[in-house]
Amino acid sequence: MKTRLFKKIMTGILSAAMVLSMGMTAFADNGTTGTGSITISNAYKGQEYSIYKVFDFEVAGDNGVYKVSKDFSTFRDPSLFTVDANDYVTVALAKDASDTEKDTWAKKFAADALKYAKTNNIAAITKTAPGKGDENPKTTSLTFDGLSYGYYITDSTVGAALLLNTVSDKISITEKNNIP
């Protein structure tokens, strides 16, 4: 019971960070058309971790915009985000939304995007954390390299979906779930 509550809380916290950054225009600097990485520290040995790219990042002058990725091209929910004629994404959340509203939005977005990915058999980039469970079942880290910039959902056999903004070279997250 505590594990599920903890998973829900962590999903909300991590997803809220995504909500806050999506409400703003992304500022491009040198290299934003390159690739980045996502590193998961404290990954559980032998557990599978998957990522799905939901939004692409596109440089637009000195700024950038997000577009729905090809795999998620029919993923739509006006209560979460809108997509204009150029496929640019706008979050359906007021800039002055309360923390509770942001948390609720983020949880729904992460859950719906992951459900969409699984229902539509979208291929994930998947890796298994090296090693096998022992006295300390967590390994140091697991890295997904060569990722084009955008927003990704992560999932694992341990649980929890969250979104990550990779409009930078390196993003790090820490596994905080427990093996069920």
Side-chain angles (χ1 to χ4, degrees):
M1 184 69 141
K2 289 183 181 180
T3 301
R4 288 183 189 210
L5 176 61
F6 184 73
K7 286 180 186 179
K8 287 180 182 181
I9 291 169
M10 287 312 301
T11 298
I13 291 169
L14 294 171
S15 298
M18 185 273 312
V19 172
L20 293 172
S21 62
M22 282 187 65
M24 300 176 273
T25 302
F27 292 97
D29 60 7
N30 292 333
T32 55
T33 57
T35 59
S37 65
I38 296 172
T39 299
I40 301 169
S41 61
N42 288 332
Y44 279 96
K45 295 177 182 177
Q47 296 297 311
E48 207 171 75
Y49 291 82
S50 302
I51 61 172
Y52 301 86
K53 187 176 187 182
V54 180
F55 298 139
D56 294 319
F57 177 76
E58 184 177 286
V59 175
D62 289 337
N63 298 313
V65 293
Y66 292 95
K67 295 178 99 172
V68 178
S69 72
K70 180 180 174 185
D71 287 338
F72 284 79
S73 63
T74 60
F75 175 54
R76 299 286 191 275
D77 183 341
S79 72
L80 297 172
F81 64 95
T82 58
V83 180
D84 70 14
N86 295 315
D87 291 329
Y88 297 138
V89 173
T90 302
V91 172
L93 188 64
K95 287 184 180 183
D96 62 347
S98 69
D99 289 343
T100 301
E101 291 168 322
K102 291 174 187 174
D103 185 53
T104 300
W105 184 96
K107 287 178 185 178
K108 180 170 176 29
F109 186 94
D112 288 1
L114 186 59
K115 180 180 177 184
Y116 178 90
K118 292 183 176 187
T119 300
N120 290 280
N121 298 314
I122 294 174
I125 301 170
T126 302
K127 289 188 173 190
T128 301
K132 294 181 180 175
D134 54 16
E135 290 179 17
N136 180 4
K138 291 189 176 185
T139 188
T140 56
S141 65
L142 176 67
T143 300
F144 294 88
D145 289 310
L147 303 173
S148 58
Y149 294 126
Y151 270 88
Y152 291 80
I153 351 172
T154 65
D155 190 27
S156 74
T157 50
V158 180
L162 61 111
L163 278 96
L164 300 166
N165 174 0
T166 59
V167 183
S168 68
D169 293 336
K170 297 176 184 177
I171 298 294
S172 296
I173 60 173
T174 302
E175 173 67 81
K176 295 182 180 176
N177 294 304
N178 293 314
I179 294 178

